[in-house]
Amino acid sequence: MSLSMYSAFIPVAIHTLNNLAAILAKGAAHCEARKIDPNAFLTARIYPDMFPLIRQVQIASDTVKGGAARLAGIDMPKYEDNETTFAELQARLDKTVAFLKTIQPAQIDGKEDADIVLSFPSRTFEFKGQAYLTGWVLPNLYFHTTTAYNLLRHGGVEIGKADFLGGA
Amino acid sequence: MSLSMYSAFIPVAIHTLNNLAAILAKGAAHCEARKIDPNAFLTARIYPDMFPLIRQVQIASDTVKGGAARLAGIDMPKYEDNETTFAELQARLDKTVAFLKTIQPAQIDGKEDADIVLSFPSRTFEFKGQAYLTGWVLPNLYFHTTTAYNLLRHGGVEIGKADFLGGA
């Protein structure tokens, strides 16, 4: 089977978010076992003007739900960004995975040259589908999942590369 | 043009390593301007049993040179892993990019089902080409480049997501 826009994206994103949910579960268990306030992790930042763990997880989710919806040309699910616990973050990832599972290969495949427009308050980005996937969606997904991993790892949660890669 | 094993990998890896080299240059300039010992960054770790910055950069390089060589079925360039300065790390990335530029699309395209074997002292991994690219090479590349970014960002180097994405 040939690599395609769908196969390079949707199964990979599902796998990555499931790995992140499992990593968060280890974070929650770590807090529980050591009587650590989970907020110490949930609000942790690599640097004061970086986003805290909660937002890193939300953005990982947003990146792939936005990516899937834009490439498929369908409406994006809207989430309220109101998670405040490990369990709520895991539920958000589960919800995102459930959305990704509704996407069919035919909705994404062949979208290499689709026009994709991302509008932010301060800037608009225009991409073709392939550049959007390989230069925006995937790097952002891994950036935010790695940063979430690093925040937990920095605080002593016993996770390793195998958790990040998910049993590769 | 359709997404292919080459286009999902080699131009993406070149872009990512060039971004990392530019990020390291900002780290070096930060040290120079503030009279900070560069070793404070080069030996920094997210957690004591994680690899330091130097090794994160070396592994990002190794991941893609190994990925390209294995998928192309050619010999892997051997590097000595003896970098001790920002400049030497940038040179290693430049050398890796130069190697990637020698790879032709025909050497990588169509390798979705190629048998790939990774042998480590403690374990052997067997993949098909596509799973190797999407489940090992790319996540590892982004894991180590993000961790290098986070180590510099944690120490106050003025970099942002645009440096990581490289002007997307």
Side-chain angles (χ1 to χ4, degrees):
Chain A
M1 216 181 68
S2 289
L3 189 72
S4 71
M5 290 287 287
Y6 175 87
S7 67
F9 175 20
I10 302 296
V12 171
I14 290 171
H15 182 69
T16 304
L17 293 190
N18 282 337
N19 295 344
L20 179 57
I23 285 168
L24 293 173
K26 288 198 177 183
H30 178 94
C31 291
E32 180 79 15
R34 287 164 187 77
K35 312 240 179 284
I36 292 170
D37 178 356
N39 288 314
F41 282 105
L42 293 163
T43 65
R45 304 169 191 259
I46 296 285
Y47 195 69
D49 67 356
M50 277 183 81
F51 287 123
L53 177 63
I54 287 179
R55 192 82 196 108
Q56 298 292 340
V57 175
Q58 289 170 338
I59 298 176
S61 156
D62 285 347
T63 298
V64 296
K65 83 176 163 67
R70 289 190 185 94
L71 286 169
I74 62 175
D75 283 342
M76 206 172 301
K78 285 195 176 35
Y79 300 159
E80 289 189 26
D81 294 336
N82 57 1
E83 292 85 2
T84 61
T85 67
F86 277 111
E88 287 171 5
L89 289 176
Q90 289 169 257
R92 184 195 178 110
L93 295 175
D94 290 347
K95 189 166 57 170
T96 312
V97 165
F99 167 66
L100 294 177
K101 287 184 174 172
T102 69
I103 305 288
Q104 301 303 310
Q107 293 176 276
I108 302 278
D109 281 342
K111 296 293 179 72
E112 282 88 344
D113 294 318
D115 289 313
I116 304 287
V117 179
L118 263 75
S119 294
F120 295 102
S122 63
R123 194 169 161 193
T124 295
F125 295 88
E126 297 185 6
F127 298 92
K128 292 295 180 185
Q130 179 172 326
Y132 174 58
L133 176 60
T134 64
W136 183 275
V137 175
L138 293 176
N140 270 305
L141 169 63
Y142 288 122
F143 179 90
H144 293 287
T145 50
T146 301
T147 300
Y149 172 101
N150 281 338
L151 286 166
L152 293 171
R153 191 80 161 75
H154 181 66
V157 177
E158 290 179 5
I159 48 179
K161 179 73 82 62
D163 296 290
F164 181 80
L165 295 174
Chain B
M1 214 181 67
S2 289
L3 189 72
S4 71
M5 291 287 286
Y6 176 88
S7 67
F9 174 21
I10 302 295
V12 172
I14 290 172
H15 181 70
T16 304
L17 293 190
N18 282 338
N19 295 344
L20 179 57
I23 285 168
L24 293 173
K26 289 197 177 182
H30 177 95
C31 292
E32 180 80 15
R34 286 163 188 77
K35 312 237 179 287
I36 292 170
D37 179 354
N39 288 313
F41 282 104
L42 293 163
T43 65
R45 303 168 192 259
I46 296 284
Y47 196 70
D49 68 355
M50 278 183 80
F51 288 124
L53 178 62
I54 286 178
R55 191 83 196 108
Q56 299 291 341
V57 175
Q58 289 170 339
I59 297 175
S61 156
D62 284 347
T63 298
V64 296
K65 82 175 164 66
R70 288 190 185 94
L71 286 168
I74 62 175
D75 284 342
M76 204 172 303
K78 285 196 176 36
Y79 300 158
E80 289 189 26
D81 293 336
N82 56 0
E83 293 85 3
T84 61
T85 66
F86 277 110
E88 286 170 5
L89 289 176
Q90 290 169 257
R92 185 195 177 109
L93 295 175
D94 290 347
K95 189 167 58 171
T96 312
V97 165
F99 168 66
L100 293 177
K101 287 184 175 173
T102 69
I103 305 289
Q104 300 302 310
Q107 292 177 277
I108 302 277
D109 281 342
K111 295 293 179 72
E112 282 88 343
D113 295 316
D115 289 313
I116 303 288
V117 179
L118 264 75
S119 294
F120 295 102
S122 62
R123 193 167 161 195
T124 294
F125 295 89
E126 297 185 6
F127 298 93
K128 293 293 180 186
Q130 179 172 326
Y132 174 58
L133 176 60
T134 65
W136 182 275
V137 175
L138 293 176
N140 270 305
L141 169 62
Y142 288 122
F143 179 91
H144 293 288
T145 50
T146 302
T147 300
Y149 172 101
N150 281 339
L151 286 165
L152 293 171
R153 192 79 161 75
H154 181 66
V157 177
E158 292 180 5
I159 48 179
K161 180 73 82 62
D163 295 291
F164 181 79
L165 295 174

